[in-house]
């Protein structure tokens, strides 16, 4: 496209995807998570275009679109809503944004559980904040990006993805309390192991999938538990004893969902301790336990993810594995000893192709810093 070839950006922003080592679906239950940004990212090239309100956004590999700041509204195209949602939220906070042009390029696989959505939202918000000197704090960028996903995309996500995309520190994971937003960075030293991601190529759409259903099931359980413990405000404050006491009032499904969340919160805290003490066998054990919970209690896994996790158990050099992201496909995280990493990746590719006739996408990730100016 001629516009892309001739475009002269005033500002270039990199916004990373993220992995969550452990703590899946706990964020919207105000629990604990342990994410970090990764090198796979979305790049935004931005420039003012000297108009008052005309905006033009082009994404390499997608059709471009234009809109007027005075008439921002939802689009029938999902990816456009990540941009439009951010603009809608920013315009509620400031009138300093004017016309701009933006080119977006990504090496983040969509639907892989690496939070390309949060990278899109946070990168756009961060870029506009810098381009127009809006004075928004990082915490404000995180919060408005989450609201954009709620209000324009329709996914009732927690705060983790946006927080990790903006706040990550190279070589660390973030132990984040999603209730208070207190956090601390913990060194992620897994040597001599590597983090290997395997994209099942099974896609999911969180806005229309069972993601929001899981959230409602957790809320149903909480409502029932609150009848006896009215001061409880989230599942993060519920104990297993409380769940057992309320079991006869819960459906089996809701009981399973609540049990998973409580156990997963405990696993996050155990994982943070294990990483601090470099107890790598414990790290692997917790990953396998987390996947079992996701598959059997929370029921957000799929046969492809289960296959890869089960396959990993045949190798002494694999510490642990689990599905990451919202579920129903996407990526499976493996922690693999460097001495067997090459052979293990090839064995997985061949076994997956034989089983499902799908080409497994395999890549290594390392913890990196959050959204920034290039």
């Amino acid at each position: 496209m001629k516009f892309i070839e001739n475009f002269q950006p005033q500002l270039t922003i990199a916004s990373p995807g993220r992995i969550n080592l452990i703590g899946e679906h706990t964020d919207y239950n105000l629990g604990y998570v342990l994410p970090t940004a990764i090198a796979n990212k979305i790049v935004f090239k931005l420039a003012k275009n000297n108009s008052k309100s005309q905006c033009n956004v082009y994404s390499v590999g997608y059709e471009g679109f234009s809109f007027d700041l005075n008439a921002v509204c939802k689009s029938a195209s999902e990816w456009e809503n990540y941009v439009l949602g951010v603009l809608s939220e920013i315009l509620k906070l400031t009138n300093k944004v004017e016309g701009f042009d933006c080119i977006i390029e990504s090496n983040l696989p969509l639907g892989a559980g690496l939070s390309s959505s949060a990278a899109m939202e946070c990168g756009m918000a961060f870029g506009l904040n810098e381009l127009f000197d809006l004075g928004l704090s990082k915490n404000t960028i995180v919060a408005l990006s989450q609201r954009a996903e709620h209000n324009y995309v329709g996914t009732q996500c927690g705060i983790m993805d946006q927080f990790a995309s903006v706040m990550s520190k190279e070589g660390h994971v973030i132990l984040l309390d999603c209730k208070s937003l207190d956090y601390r960075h913990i060194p992620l030293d897994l040597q001599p192991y590597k983090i290997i991601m395997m994209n099942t190529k099974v896609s999911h759409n969180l806005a229309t999938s069972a993601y929001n259903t899981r959230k409602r099931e957790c809320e149903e359980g909480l409502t029932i538990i609150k009848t006896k413990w009215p001061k409880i405000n989230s599942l993060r404050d519920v104990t297993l004893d409380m769940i057992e006491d309320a079991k006869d009032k819960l459906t089996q499904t809701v009981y399973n969902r609540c049990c998973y969340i409580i156990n997963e919160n405990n696993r996050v805290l155990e994982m943070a301790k294990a990483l601090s003490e470099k107890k790598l066998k414990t790290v692997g054990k917790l990953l396998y336990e987390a996947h079992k919970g996701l598959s059997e209690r929370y029921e957000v896994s799929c046969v492809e993810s289960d296959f890869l996790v089960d396959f990993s158990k045949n190798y002494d050099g694999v510490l642990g594995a689990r599905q990451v992201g919202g579920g129903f496909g996407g990526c499976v995280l493996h922690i693999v000893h460097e001495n067997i990493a090459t052979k293990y990746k090839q064995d997985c590719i061949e076994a997956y192709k034989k089983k499902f006739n799908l080409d497994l996408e395999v890549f290594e990730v390392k913890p990196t810093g959050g959204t920034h100016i290039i």
Side-chain angles (χ1 to χ4, degrees), residues 117-252:
S117 57
M120 180 74 79
E121 294 149 359
C122 294
M124 180 59 68
F126 193 99
L128 293 175
N129 186 50
E130 295 292 332
L131 187 66
F132 293 103
D133 193 23
L134 303 181
L136 304 177
S137 69
K138 285 186 174 182
N139 282 332
T140 299
I141 289 171
V142 168
L144 76 85
S145 296
Q146 182 195 28
R147 292 196 301 273
E149 187 145 347
H150 286 186
N151 298 331
Y152 264 61
V153 182
T155 304
Q156 299 303 305
C157 62
I159 199 72
M160 174 185 68
D161 293 351
Q162 292 81 8
F163 199 96
S165 190
V166 174
M167 300 294 198
S168 288
K169 178 180 177 181
E170 185 172 353
H172 294 70
V173 289
I174 304 171
L175 176 59
L176 171 64
D177 180 336
C178 296
K179 182 179 181 181
S180 66
L181 296 189
D182 290 337
Y183 70 98
R184 62 186 173 95
H185 292 101
I186 297 175
L188 184 62
D189 179 11
L190 297 174
Q191 285 294 332
Y193 292 86
K194 298 181 174 185
I195 301 176
I196 307 294
M197 306 300 293
M198 299 192 181
N199 186 0
T200 63
K201 297 295 185 70
V202 179
S203 63
H204 61 274
N205 183 327
L206 294 184
T208 56
S209 75
Y211 184 100
N212 291 342
T213 301
R214 294 300 183 278
K215 187 172 187 288
R216 288 194 298 271
E217 288 165 345
C218 291
E219 290 167 349
E220 180 183 334
L222 179 63
T223 298
I224 292 169
I225 291 164
K226 278 175 70 72
T227 60
K228 186 167 184 179
W229 289 278
K231 292 185 179 180
I232 295 293
N233 291 314
S234 68
L235 284 182
R236 102 73 141 317
D237 298 318
V238 176
T239 66
L240 288 173
D241 286 341
M242 291 178 184
I243 288 287
E244 290 303 318
D245 192 60
K247 186 176 182 180
D248 62 337
K249 299 180 182 67
L250 303 171
T251 66
Q252 185 63 47

